[in-house]
Amino acid sequence: MAASESAFLDLANPGVRGLAPYEPGKPIEELRRDYGVEEVIKLASNENPLGPSPRAAEAATAAVQAGHRYPDGNGFELRHAIGERHGVDPGRVTLGNGSNDVLALVAQTFLGPGRRAVFSAHAFAVYPIVTQAAGAEARVVPALPAGHPEQPRGHDLEAMAAATDESVQVVFVANPNNPTGTWVGGEALRRFLDAVPATTLAVVDEAYFEYAVEEADYPDASRWLDDYPNLIVTRSFSKVHGLGGLRAGYALSHPAVAELMNRVRQPFNCSGPAQAAAVASLADCEYLERSVALNTEQRAVLRRGLEELGFAPLPSAGNFLTFDAGDRAAELNEGLLRSGVIVRPVDAYDLPGHLRVSVGTPVENRTFLAALSRQLHGGTS
Ligand SMILES: *Cc1c(COP(=O)(O)O)cnc(C)c1O
């Protein structure tokens, strides 16, 4: 007897039944295949346009030579390097196959049917996915209004604190948030953490931490682990470290929380090349400084260019800008793809008509702005 599609659907976990898969940025090869364009510029996944640190690439290549050996499942060297970077005991570090994996570990460990997670509207897509996959209930808190003077569409921390009662196991805060780019200041974040019940885990996702150099009040929540035993801070090697293709990220937490997450963590979730590259990248301060400086400079260029074209990008502390392209968003996106430029429509984040563009190299940003201008004003491409 052939099972029908609906029979398999019934077989799936209730949380999985209503789930839509995460939609990543279009890969370069896909654009080449589907649109026949040779030269492709990808500004769709907030990657470091400089590529990885040469020292990280070298370390990963060397590790590939030992690819027949399982990696260190405890990630001794990397956890110690991370511990040193943050001045915390390595027992507080949980490694992930990207920080996405760590967010999934939080959900697997602490969420489930009859449990609840709180996060903001327009927040990172992984929070709703891991919450629903675990069969838990999502309490989505409305974001600040589009007309807010400082953080339009940003997290409303006061409303999030009000929604986080003792029936909530996990609350997610993205700082800065993707795709809005908005951020929360240190004082506001501490007030929020003071208000969250001690029995609720507060996850502060700092995937773009390194880029937030111009925001004077932007906090490093990893320094507050002793003040808030229920705090989990996540970081990624996919953004400023330029290692998205290798997959490494981590959580910092109370050692007891780390120990629980390590019970469900796949022992080899962080590959040998990923661990080696991450250790080398943490040590390459020159590369990191250069990456951040390029982003700060080029994010301003990109913002000015978009404003000159009549758009008003949201404030951003990350390596991307999101702007409302209104009714023409789909058409503009299609035109950009035909010109070989990949950006990211973010309708799925309850931001209809919005496009997100990552900060690229000077040439990439100029090419994007020129292609967008041609789409808006006509002319040949
Ligand atoms: C990109 C991103 C991550 C993590 O990505 P990984 O590649 O899994 O490390 C986490 N949070 C936010 C908000 C992101 O944008």
Side-chain angles (χ1 to χ4, degrees), residues 15-34:
V16 174
R17 279 178 218 155
L19 210 56
Y22 179 80
E23 264 199 57
K26 197 182 269 297
I28 291 173
E29 279 311 318
E30 189 178 315
L31 196 72
R32 288 211 177 103
R33 275 198 308 273
D34 296 356

Side-chain angles (χ1 to χ4, degrees), residues 161-242:
T164 308
D165 54 35
E166 267 153 24
S167 75
V168 173
Q169 284 72 36
V170 181
V171 53
F172 293 99
V173 174
N175 198 30
N177 181 44
N178 166 25
T180 58
T182 51
W183 67 94
V184 297
E187 238 176 84
L189 188 56
R190 279 199 77 110
R191 240 180 292 130
F192 169 80
L193 292 170
D194 287 333
V196 166
T199 50
T200 302
L201 293 165
V203 178
V204 179
D205 178 345
E206 296 184 339
Y208 301 94
F209 174 85
E210 294 84 353
Y211 289 120
V213 288
E214 290 194 310
E215 295 70 27
D217 61 340
Y218 177 79
D220 176 353
S222 77
R223 293 160 66 181
W224 304 339
L225 290 165
D226 283 330
D227 303 341
Y228 303 100
N230 58 337
L231 173 64
I232 301 178
V233 178
T234 63
R235 295 279 182 103
S236 174
F237 285 99
S238 303
K239 304 292 159 55
V240 77
H241 287 279

Side-chain angles (χ1 to χ4, degrees), residues 3-364:
S4 70
E5 263 175 53
S6 71
F8 289 131
L9 188 64
D10 291 343
L11 193 60
N13 283 328
V16 174
R17 279 178 218 155
L19 210 56
Y22 179 80
E23 264 199 57
K26 197 182 269 297
I28 291 173
E29 279 311 318
E30 189 178 315
L31 196 72
R32 288 211 177 103
R33 275 198 308 273
D34 296 356
Y35 288 75
V37 282
E38 278 297 309
E39 292 281 318
V40 177
I41 288 174
K42 186 184 176 205
L43 300 173
S45 302
N46 303 342
E47 295 150 342
N48 184 334
L50 297 178
S53 145
R55 286 160 65 176
E58 200 179 313
T61 305
V64 168
Q65 302 307 315
H68 59 306
R69 303 286 180 207
Y70 278 96
D72 176 359
N74 286 318
F76 181 89
E77 203 188 345
L78 178 53
R79 284 193 309 112
H80 278 257
I82 291 166
E84 209 163 287
R85 157 62 49 99
H86 293 280
V88 304
D89 188 271
R92 287 181 177 273
V93 182
T94 304
L95 294 183
N97 187 262
S99 60
N100 195 325
D101 185 32
V102 170
L103 297 168
L105 284 175
V106 171
Q108 257 182 284
T109 309
F110 299 104
L111 295 175
R115 291 167 172 249
R116 271 175 211 89
V118 167
F119 46 83
S120 173
H122 320 306
F124 186 45
V126 166
Y127 314 151
I129 291 176
V130 298
T131 300
Q132 197 179 330
E137 181 198 315
R139 258 187 207 167
V140 185
V141 177
L144 295 171
H148 191 273
E150 281 150 36
Q151 301 291 329
R153 302 202 182 270
H155 286 16
D156 183 343
L157 282 187
E158 284 179 25
M160 289 179 71
T164 308
D165 54 35
E166 267 153 24
S167 75
V168 173
Q169 284 72 36
V170 181
V171 53
F172 293 99
V173 174
N175 198 30
N177 181 44
N178 166 25
T180 58
T182 51
W183 67 94
V184 297
E187 238 176 84
L189 188 56
R190 279 199 77 110
R191 240 180 292 130
F192 169 80
L193 292 170
D194 287 333
V196 166
T199 50
T200 302
L201 293 165
V203 178
V204 179
D205 178 345
E206 296 184 339
Y208 301 94
F209 174 85
E210 294 84 353
Y211 289 120
V213 288
E214 290 194 310
E215 295 70 27
D217 61 340
Y218 177 79
D220 176 353
S222 77
R223 293 160 66 181
W224 304 339
L225 290 165
D226 283 330
D227 303 341
Y228 303 100
N230 58 337
L231 173 64
I232 301 178
V233 178
T234 63
R235 295 279 182 103
S236 174
F237 285 99
S238 303
K239 304 292 159 55
V240 77
H241 287 279
L243 297 171
L246 288 184
R247 315 302 302 134
Y250 59 95
L252 302 169
S253 68
H254 191 282
V257 170
E259 193 275 325
L260 285 164
M261 294 203 291
N262 273 296
R263 292 184 195 184
V264 290
R265 184 180 66 85
Q266 287 187 40
F268 306 111
N269 63 340
C270 198
S271 77
Q275 290 185 38
V279 169
S281 194
L282 278 174
D284 195 347
C285 302
E286 192 270 331
Y287 158 82
L288 293 172
E289 272 169 34
R290 196 154 43 88
S291 301
V292 171
L294 176 76
N295 184 68
T296 304
E297 174 203 285
Q298 287 299 307
R299 189 177 56 203
V301 169
L302 206 49
R303 175 176 294 281
R304 261 198 313 280
L306 285 166
E307 285 171 352
E308 279 166 17
L309 292 173
F311 299 110
L314 296 172
S316 172
N319 64 340
F320 56 89
L321 291 175
T322 293
F323 58 99
D324 188 353
D327 295 342
R328 296 189 66 184
E331 168 206 336
L332 291 174
N333 182 51
E334 185 60 26
L336 287 170
L337 289 172
R338 271 188 273 108
S339 327
V341 179
I342 315 177
V343 298
R344 187 77 156 268
V346 287
D347 310 63
Y349 291 81
D350 197 18
L351 290 168
H354 286 63
L355 297 174
R356 189 192 72 195
V357 58
S358 307
V359 178
T361 62
V363 171
E364 288 173 331

